[in-house]
Amino acid sequence: MFKIGEFSKITQVSIRMLRYYDEQGLLQPIKVDASSGYRMYAAHQIEELNRILLLRDLGFSVKEMRELLVSWNGEKIKEDLKKQM
């Protein structure tokens, strides 16, 4: 497991953005230390974060990203992209 700072360095996503994604329900930490409040992330969450970044770069809203992440489906994403054009 990685503390938020380590996870930020590995993924090159700012701590501020990781906290934002947590607040928005897109990427919640695996564990939050009760005494220090440190957020802890697991290695497998790097893939989840990459999906979020892809959707963000494609212009999806936070609400749309939340829906797409629940049931990751390439065909649905293609359909939604076509609607955006």
Side-chain angles (χ1 to χ4, degrees), residues 16-33:
R16 185 180 65 82
M17 286 308 296
L18 291 172
R19 287 183 179 140
Y20 175 75
Y21 293 146
D22 181 15
E23 291 167 8
Q24 296 301 312
L26 295 174
L27 183 70
Q28 278 122 7
I30 292 294
K31 179 182 174 185
V32 178
D33 185 278

Side-chain angles (χ1 to χ4, degrees), residues 52-64:
I52 292 167
L53 298 175
L54 171 67
L55 294 172
R56 181 199 66 194
D57 291 347
L58 291 172
F60 288 99
S61 70
V62 169
K63 180 183 175 191
E64 292 169 323

Side-chain angles (χ1 to χ4, degrees), residues 37-63:
Y38 282 147
R39 292 169 168 89
M40 304 293 285
Y41 293 87
H44 73 272
Q45 289 184 291
I46 294 171
E47 182 179 345
E48 294 174 42
L49 179 58
N50 285 334
R51 288 179 178 179
I52 292 167
L53 298 175
L54 171 67
L55 294 172
R56 181 199 66 194
D57 291 347
L58 291 172
F60 288 99
S61 70
V62 169
K63 180 183 175 191

